[in-house]
Each structure stands twice: as structure tokens, then as C-alpha cells.
């Protein structure tokens, strides 16, 4: 029996799994709920996410990955084991080959933690690859030639910026400003402006429905307001307010500026020949954050470089692992 080849996009917010020959077979939140007393796993993925912020005392809903790396080793192992079993990746006589993606600037200790978790979940062989490289391959960029390609991958916990040429990363940076930080920006804004306390899930809904990168982007939106419910900090009672799209741009302004500054820093460190390529080829946006309304226009305006959103922005990394599994010589 042949062992299965599996690609995992181990994200802070979501885990995507690609099985060779089958495509992306799983896309679920990276959340695990456990019994605080027995440490027994109660639910994983979508079911566990529904429990976030709503659990009784003895049930804990945990996000085991923080800023793209493992924050809770045991719970990450539980999550990987659950999905390996659910997808029937491990047979009696065969164990899967797993390729996992990680942010571009993680330490060797963090890299080893990811590798160990995969081996303990039942992997026969584990490959670790840097996320921006995999995202570029998944976005159908030809990085094998001596021309520069620039990728901006905005996930849940980290944003990776990289310039690639001849199949490898030339310059890159990774910052802990991404989807989760934007959610917290919205929570803080609503709290400071309206004295209303909301949770992470509500903030994510606001970002998805009316989140914009700049005030100008509001003009092209169909829905410009969103009813937000939470706890009033003055009365202590439930309350609902109406939030405008322009306010989300105001809330996330500083985080988005940090992403723009990271792009500028990487461009400043790039050899001039590759810079010339990027001026003509542009920057490709991948990851869930790439779908923020008007983000491509904002970055293009600030850097005077064309910016494109990958067609498969959400699944770029998972699909990239699939291409790399077909061509293991691409793995560094």
C-alpha cells in the first residue's frame, strides 16, 4: 500500500489540508475544545470554533497556534491527530508524507516543534517549507526563472512579504500583523468609540461584511453599514449599534500601514535588477487578508506598483503544497 502525500497549511486561524490526487479536502478553523479537568479533546475545527467565548467553566476552546507558530504543543498534536484520523490518512501499513508550511522568519526551535507535532500525529516523513514560497507556487507564479516575483501573504496570525527568484526567497520579512490583529483593532475601536464590548467572532464578521482598507473603498461597497451587538460597558446590558464601513478603515489604519511599511522595507533590500522586474510584474496578494476590500488599491497607491489579488487567494498555500508534493525537488 502506498503512503499518501499530504500538504498542510497550518494557519493561526484556519487549517487547510491538501491530499495528493484529491485536492484541498479540508478547510476548518484551527480551534480545539478540551475538558479542563480531564484534558480530553471534545471537539475540533468548526464545531470547536462555535464554542469560542461561549463555553462553561470546565470546557476550554483553545487556538493552539499563535502568530503562525505552535503556542500549545499538546493541543496542536491533538488537532493534527484528529484530522489525520478524520481524513483516513494513516493506514495499518502506511503513514503519510506531510509537507507543512511555516512563516518565513521562525526559529529552528519553532520549526522543530511543527515537525515533531506532525511526526507524533503519524507522519512517515515531514517537510517544512516557507509560506511565501508555497503561496507563490500556488498562485501560479513561475519562480524558477531569474526574474523577480513579489508575494504578500496575509494570514490570520502573520503577514509574510517575500521576493523570489530562481526558485528561492531572495529577501523576505514576516510580521505579526494580520487578520487577528485587524479583529482586535475593530474590538478596540468599538469599545473606545461606542463603549460596547464585542468578541473576536463579531469582529471577524464586521471585517468580512464591511471591512475596507481605505475610506475611498466604501464607495464601491454594496453594504456600507452593519448592526453590531455586544455588552454596553456603561449599563452592563446587551446593546446594538450600527457601524459604518468607513469606520473599519479608521480602526485598522495603523495595522495596514505596518503592512505597507514591511513591503517598502523588503523592496529597499532588493537588488536593483529584481526591483525592475517587480515594477512591471507587480505584487501578488494571497491569504485571507488579501480579500479585504480595497487593500490592493491602497498598497498600489502607497508603493506606486501594480498589485493583484490571486484568484485562489484563500487556498493558494494549500494548492502550492500540492504542486510541491508532485515535484519534491522544489522543496528546499
Amino acid at each position: 500500500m502506498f503512503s499518501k502525500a499530504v500538504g498542510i497549511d497550518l494557519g493561526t486561524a484556519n487549517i487547510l489540508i491538501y491530499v495528493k490526487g484529491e485536492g484541498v479536502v479540508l478547510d476548518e478553523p484551527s480551534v480545539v475544545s478540551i475538558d479542563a479537568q480531564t484534558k480530553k479533546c471534545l471537539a475540533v475545527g468548526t464545531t470547536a470554533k462555535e464554542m469560542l467565548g461561549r463555553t462553561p467553566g470546565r470546557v476550554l476552546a483553545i487556538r493552539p497556534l499563535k502568530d503562525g507558530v505552535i503556542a500549545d504543543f499538546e493541543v496542536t498534536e491533538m488537532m493534527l491527530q484528529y484530522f489525520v484520523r478524520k481524513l483516513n490518512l494513516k493506514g495499518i501499513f502506511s503513514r503519510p508524507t506531510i509537507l507543512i508550511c511555516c512563516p518565513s522568519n521562525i526559529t529552528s526551535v519553532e520549526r522543530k516543534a511543527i515537525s515533531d507535532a506532525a511526526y507524533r500525529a503519524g507522519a512517515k516523513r515531514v517537510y517544512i517549507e516557507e509560506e511565501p514560497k508555497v503561496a507563490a507556487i500556488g498562485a501560479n507564479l513561475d519562480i524558477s526563472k531569474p526574474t523577480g516575483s513579489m508575494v504578500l501573504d496575509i494570514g490570520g496570525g502573520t503577514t509574510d512579504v517575500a521576493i523570489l527568484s530562481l526558485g528561492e526567497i531572495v529577501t523576505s520579512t514576516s510580521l505579526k500583523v494580520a487578520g487577528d490583529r485587524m479583529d482586535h483593532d475593530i474590538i478596540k475601536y468599538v469599545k473606545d468609540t461606542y463603549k460596547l464590548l464585542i468578541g473576536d467572532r463579531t469582529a471577524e464578521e464586521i471585517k468580512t461584511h464591511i471591512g475596507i482598507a481605505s475610506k475611498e473603498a466604501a464607495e464601491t461597497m454594496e453594504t456600507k453599514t452593519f448592526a453590531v451587538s455586544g455588552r454596553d460597558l456603561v449599563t452592563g446590558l446587551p446593546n446594538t449599534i450600527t457601524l459604518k464601513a468607513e469606520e473599519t478603515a479608521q480602526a485598522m489604519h495603523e495595522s495596514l500601514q505596518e503592512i505597507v511599511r514591511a513591503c517598502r522595507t523588503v523592496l529597499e533590500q532588493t537588488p536593483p535588477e529584481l526591483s525592475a522586474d517587480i515594477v512591471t510584474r507587480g505584487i501578488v496578494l494571497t491569504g485571507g487578508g488579501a480579500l479585504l476590500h480595497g487593500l490592493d488599491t491602497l498598497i498600489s497607491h502607497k508603493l506606486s506598483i501594480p498589485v493583484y489579488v490571486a484568484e485562489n487567494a484563500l487556498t493558494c498555500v494549500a494548492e502550492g503544497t500540492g504542486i510541491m508534493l508532485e515535484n519534491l525537488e522544489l522543496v528546499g
Side-chain angles (χ1 to χ4, degrees):
M1 182 184 279
F2 294 107
S3 65
K4 288 187 175 178
V6 180
I8 300 179
D9 176 9
L10 195 61
T12 308
N14 283 65
I15 180 168
L16 280 82
I17 297 182
Y18 181 103
V19 176
K20 189 175 175 181
E22 296 176 35
V24 179
V25 294
L26 182 130
D27 178 1
E28 290 204 31
S30 307
V31 184
V32 180
S33 64
I34 62 168
D35 187 308
Q37 291 173 358
T38 64
K39 301 293 182 204
K40 186 184 170 193
C41 177
L42 302 174
V44 179
T46 307
T47 316
K49 187 179 181 181
E50 286 168 4
M51 299 180 186
L52 273 177
R54 295 176 170 171
T55 57
R58 62 176 290 176
V59 178
L60 300 173
I62 299 169
R63 295 178 69 177
L65 292 133
K66 192 173 189 304
D67 301 330
V69 294
I70 293 174
D72 190 319
F73 186 82
E74 282 181 39
V75 179
T76 302
E77 196 185 311
M78 272 184 205
M79 181 173 73
L80 286 174
Q81 282 177 342
Y82 172 83
F83 288 130
V84 165
R85 277 200 307 272
K86 181 181 178 180
L87 298 173
N88 199 23
L89 300 174
K90 195 171 115 181
I92 301 168
F93 304 110
S94 67
R95 292 185 297 154
T97 295
I98 295 179
L99 188 151
I100 300 187
C101 303
C102 66
S104 55
N105 70 342
I106 67 166
T107 64
S108 55
V109 174
E110 290 166 338
R111 191 180 277 256
K112 189 174 187 307
I114 293 172
S115 180
D116 287 351
Y119 276 120
R120 289 170 71 113
K124 175 185 172 186
R125 192 179 291 113
V126 178
Y127 297 101
I128 306 284
E129 195 52 83
E130 291 177 322
E131 213 156 283
K133 178 179 171 182
V134 183
I137 291 169
N140 295 319
L141 294 178
D142 186 356
I143 61 169
S144 63
K145 293 189 169 68
T147 48
S149 300
M150 184 165 175
V151 172
L152 174 58
D153 181 49
I154 307 172
T158 55
T159 291
D160 285 284
V161 190
I163 288 174
L164 304 105
S165 179
L166 289 170
E168 290 300 329
I169 292 172
V170 179
T171 52
S172 71
T173 189
S174 181
L175 62 158
K176 293 170 181 180
V177 177
D180 287 353
R181 170 78 79 86
M182 293 176 202
D183 292 346
H184 291 153
D185 289 341
I186 291 169
I187 291 170
K188 185 177 184 301
Y189 178 85
V190 172
K191 183 182 175 184
D192 293 348
T193 311
Y194 296 99
K195 301 291 180 281
L196 189 77
L197 196 63
I198 60 171
D200 291 346
R201 286 187 64 192
T202 306
E204 194 179 346
E205 281 178 25
I206 294 167
K207 185 180 69 181
T208 307
H209 285 88
I210 60 163
I212 56 170
S214 62
K215 287 184 179 179
E216 294 75 25
E219 295 166 15
T220 57
M221 283 205 77
E222 289 178 21
T223 313
K224 294 187 181 179
T225 59
F226 190 73
V228 181
S229 300
R231 191 176 84 229
D232 193 304
L233 289 169
V234 179
T235 65
L237 300 172
N239 190 17
T240 302
I241 56 128
T242 301
L243 201 66
K244 293 177 184 172
E246 301 93 89
E247 292 177 275
T248 62
Q250 198 177 327
M252 298 185 288
H253 176 76
E254 189 47 48
S255 293
L256 295 174
Q257 290 306 311
E258 277 191 57
I259 291 171
V260 171
R261 282 196 290 273
C263 291
R264 188 174 276 122
T265 303
V266 168
L267 286 164
E268 284 167 359
Q269 296 167 352
T270 305
E273 293 297 335
L274 293 179
S275 295
D277 293 337
I278 286 145
V279 168
T280 53
R281 289 165 65 104
I283 302 171
V284 175
L285 290 183
T286 65
L291 303 180
L292 182 67
H293 194 71
L295 182 60
D296 50 346
T297 311
L298 174 77
I299 296 169
S300 180
H301 174 69
K302 294 283 185 184
L303 301 176
S304 304
I305 293 173
V307 178
Y308 310 99
V309 179
E311 280 181 26
N312 54 343
L314 278 171
T315 57
C316 256
V317 175
E319 288 177 24
T321 61
I323 296 167
M324 295 188 88
L325 287 167
E326 299 281 350
N327 308 276
L328 281 173
E329 69 277 2
L330 294 172
V331 180

